[in-house]
Amino acid sequence: MARSIRDWLWVLAFAVLITFSVPWFLWGSSTVVAGLPVWLWWHVGWMVVASVVFALFARTGWDRLMGLDAEAGFGTSRRGGDS
């Protein structure tokens, strides 16, 4: 099955989410904002971003990248399985 540009953009989006989930660039930083370390604020913000991206993926890309046929409904595999 050939991947479309939209599929590759989703792959890129999740690769970016994974890459920046650990704030390696904040290691050793002792900066505190509003009583919490800045790396903790990074995690709070990153979880919001990850939630929004996954919600968009669930609405627009799930059927294509998870091997489901959108027209057939849930539980029907493109591969012709018995699910």
Side-chain angles (χ1 to χ4, degrees), residues 6-17:
R6 187 176 180 191
D7 294 345
W8 286 112
L9 288 175
W10 278 120
V11 170
L12 178 65
F14 282 108
V16 168
L17 283 177

Side-chain angles (χ1 to χ4, degrees), residues 11-22 46 49-51 53-54:
V11 170
L12 178 65
F14 282 108
V16 168
L17 283 177
I18 291 168
T19 300
F20 291 107
S21 62
V22 175
W46 202 247
V49 170
S51 297
V53 169
F54 190 76

